[in-house]
Amino acid sequence: AAGGGSLPPPVASSRLALDMAQVPSVITMPQCYLFHVKNDPLIFCCATQRECPPLKVLEFLSHLTDVCVEYFGSDLTEDEIKDNAPTIYQLLGEMLDGGIPYLTEVN
């Protein structure tokens, strides 16, 4: 090709679908820390700019998935999340007070 180079071949979509078992639950990047927990078929993610105890963040994400399943049923899907976004926002407001997570039992 003119200009001294050619474009790489397009990446097949199957290569983009990573095996989630191979992705670590905590990823350290220069500007932030990324956390995730998987609840098929969804992945709940969180990013922090400051270093914090990883287990605390992962426990919070896990607890958030448990609360969502309790409120919206075990067949939690992307559409359920979209349809119930205002309720989830309120739940997050109750679970996080000024950015500090409060983990309580679902009653």
Side-chain angles (χ1 to χ4, degrees):
S6 62
L7 295 174
V11 177
S13 61
S14 63
R15 285 182 50 198
L16 293 177
L18 295 174
D19 180 13
M20 287 305 295
Q22 296 176 350
V23 178
S25 296
V26 180
I27 300 171
T28 304
M29 302 185 75
Q31 295 88 7
C32 66
Y33 298 88
L34 302 174
F35 303 86
H36 81 275
V37 294
K38 187 167 187 206
N39 182 19
D40 279 330
L42 301 174
I43 300 169
F44 288 77
C45 301
C46 175
T48 63
Q49 289 183 327
R50 296 186 181 139
E51 189 173 342
C52 57
L55 290 178
K56 187 172 188 175
V57 178
L58 294 173
E59 181 181 10
F60 177 78
L61 286 175
S62 180
H63 190 69
L64 176 62
T65 62
D66 293 344
V67 169
C68 288
V69 166
E70 184 73 26
Y71 270 79
F72 311 117
S74 61
D75 295 334
L76 193 60
T77 63
E78 180 181 358
D79 290 333
E80 286 286 327
I81 299 291
K82 288 178 184 177
D83 293 344
N84 295 294
T87 304
I88 293 171
Y89 182 78
Q90 289 177 342
L91 288 170
L92 282 170
E94 294 295 322
M95 294 172 71
L96 290 170
D97 185 19
I100 299 170
Y102 288 94
L103 303 177
T104 58
E105 293 300 316
V106 180
N107 298 51

